[in-house]
Amino acid sequence: MAQQRLGRIQWGDMLFGPGSRYHVTAVEGLDDLPDIRSEDVERPGQHGDYTGPDWTGPRVVQLKLGLRGDSPDQLRDLTLALRNATQPQRQPAALQFLDQDMLVWGKVRKRSLPYDAEYLWSIGDAALEVYCADPYLYGLEEKVASTTAYSPAAGRTYPLVYGLAAQTLNSNPTFETTIAPWIAQDGAALARVNTQAQTGSWSAQITPPGGTPGPRMESEQMPVTAGVSYRAKGYMRCVSARDLALNVNWFAAGGGYMTTSVNQIAVAANTWTPFSAAFVAPAGAAFGQLAPTVPGTPPATAVTFVDEARFERDVASGFRSYGDAGTSGRLTAVNGGASAAYPVLRVDGPVADPSIEQVNTGSILTLDATLQGGEYVLIDTRTRAVLFMGSTPRREWVRGGSVWPLLLPGSNEIAYRGSALPGAPGQPSLLTVTWRDTSL
């Protein structure tokens, strides 16, 4: 919960405030309104101005620190560590106010580390000035919401037939109460965490050991029938951009390993990505096993999260099939700040001419593009960047007359539409919206 007491401040790997050797004695410019860049125009022959919109200039945050060591040598170590952590920067970095649920993006532009012989023994002072070209104050939590594209209800099809229902074969796909019976393999550390979740409050966390190929988690082995189709479905997220896989291991009747069916996708950093693939159980297979995997030889920093991991098959439901009910293609994004937030949008194919509407304001952004399965585009509404596969500029895809959607303070409804590609029935395309609470 946000509080008035400033508490801890983090810059890179350095922590200032309670629990550290760097005491925070003063902060200026954090809650202040940055200088206003107005668009006022004088009224000819009259008193006053015609007033236009007000825009803010950059924010400047000043920190004053008290360095507290136990000896002159330790004080020198503290001084050098602070000096090394505040070198000139190419790009802004996050200055995090951990107990106030707030961060700013800035560069250290001034640093003062005075030498005072009177306090040489163990006490020193420091002052930092952080220049924030982006003046916004952001929430620490990066929020995420997603939806598939709108698709209409299919209606009845005659003659009426009994429908099929998806049956989940593995246990504990959501990790809401326990991690069992899932186990870790190839040195991976497996944990149940509530810091990330696609649904509910919990997910599974895979931490690679570093230097070991294919760290993964595995479900229990489930009976399968050779020649029958099964689906591997779920969501995966990694702290860095890389390839992830939701694989299926197949075993013979005696329990011997046979082969692996691979479902591998390139994912963006810190983005829940849907996985769904159908596999036919190979000849001789008697058991199947779901295996969320971090392919290759990932470093220990490639921490990966898994949620809604399901091994499914279609079974007769016992009810008449009246067609697909369709999907709304809508999500709700709540901006808890006092200023409009600029979301990052990710559109995953297959889809043609995807369209994103901010329902509250009526603004619509449409791309004249076709994305195949496994392809995606990232849209940064603040910089107006449109990046195919996260790196290739495709700004020309934006249809003329489009309005870039913003998230107003409070609740925002986003609608996602698109056309299904031939051979891709339904709407497997996904829109993922990422944002932070934003204020000035």
Side-chain angles (χ1 to χ4, degrees), residues 308-319:
E308 283 288 349
R310 298 179 182 275
F311 188 69
E312 296 181 345
R313 68 174 179 181
D314 288 332
V315 296
S317 66
F319 298 95

Side-chain angles (χ1 to χ4, degrees), residues 98-142:
L98 302 180
D99 296 317
Q100 292 202 332
D101 188 27
M102 187 187 311
L103 67 81
V104 294
W105 295 96
K107 300 179 177 181
V108 174
R109 285 284 175 86
K110 291 184 180 180
R111 176 186 65 216
S112 175
L113 293 168
Y115 175 90
D116 191 339
E118 185 177 357
Y119 298 102
L120 177 62
W121 175 251
S122 63
I123 299 174
D125 294 310
L128 303 177
E129 183 174 284
V130 181
Y131 167 80
C132 306
D134 176 357
Y136 284 107
L137 307 172
Y138 295 102
L140 289 179
E141 178 190 3
E142 186 176 65

Side-chain angles (χ1 to χ4, degrees), residues 48-326:
D49 289 342
Y50 293 109
T51 186
D54 288 348
W55 308 100
T56 63
R59 181 182 300 276
V60 176
V61 178
Q62 295 178 328
L63 304 179
K64 293 184 179 179
L65 307 174
L67 283 58
R68 302 295 184 264
D70 294 329
S71 67
D73 290 342
Q74 187 180 50
L75 179 61
R76 183 57 180 166
D77 290 341
L78 294 173
T79 301
L80 293 177
L82 183 59
R83 187 188 70 183
N84 294 339
T86 54
Q87 296 293 306
Q89 305 162 233
R90 292 181 61 87
Q91 297 294 332
L95 178 64
Q96 303 178 68
F97 297 83
L98 302 180
D99 296 317
Q100 292 202 332
D101 188 27
M102 187 187 311
L103 67 81
V104 294
W105 295 96
K107 300 179 177 181
V108 174
R109 285 284 175 86
K110 291 184 180 180
R111 176 186 65 216
S112 175
L113 293 168
Y115 175 90
D116 191 339
E118 185 177 357
Y119 298 102
L120 177 62
W121 175 251
S122 63
I123 299 174
D125 294 310
L128 303 177
E129 183 174 284
V130 181
Y131 167 80
C132 306
D134 176 357
Y136 284 107
L137 307 172
Y138 295 102
L140 289 179
E141 178 190 3
E142 186 176 65
K143 299 182 177 180
V144 179
S146 60
T147 181
T148 54
Y150 163 79
S151 62
R156 296 185 180 184
T157 301
Y158 290 91
L160 295 177
V161 296
Y162 285 102
L164 297 176
Q167 179 187 32
T168 300
L169 301 181
N170 63 296
S171 59
N172 193 23
T174 62
F175 316 104
E176 289 300 299
T177 58
T178 181
I179 199 72
W182 296 84
I183 60 172
Q185 292 289 0
D186 283 342
L190 183 60
R192 173 175 164 265
V193 297
N194 63 354
T195 58
Q196 303 288 342
Q198 168 62 24
T199 58
S201 302
W202 296 81
S203 65
Q205 176 181 290
I206 304 172
T207 303
T212 300
R216 64 194 180 278
M217 58 187 287
E218 295 179 343
S219 71
E220 70 272 33
Q221 294 185 17
M222 298 153 284
V224 299
T225 301
V228 173
S229 180
Y230 296 85
R231 280 190 304 275
K233 295 178 61 178
Y235 290 84
M236 299 182 71
R237 172 183 178 130
C238 186
V239 299
S240 58
R242 62 177 302 109
D243 285 356
L244 298 178
L246 186 58
N247 298 335
V248 176
N249 297 327
W250 305 102
F251 299 87
Y257 169 76
M258 294 177 56
T259 187
T260 296
S261 296
V262 177
N263 177 17
Q264 184 167 317
I265 298 177
V267 304
N270 292 314
T271 301
W272 281 109
T273 302
F275 285 71
S276 181
F279 303 111
V280 176
F287 299 95
Q289 180 185 65
L290 207 54
T293 305
V294 188
T297 306
T301 55
V303 178
T304 298
F305 302 91
V306 181
D307 206 354
E308 283 288 349
R310 298 179 182 275
F311 188 69
E312 296 181 345
R313 68 174 179 181
D314 288 332
V315 296
S317 66
F319 298 95
R320 297 282 190 178
S321 174
Y322 290 90
D324 188 353

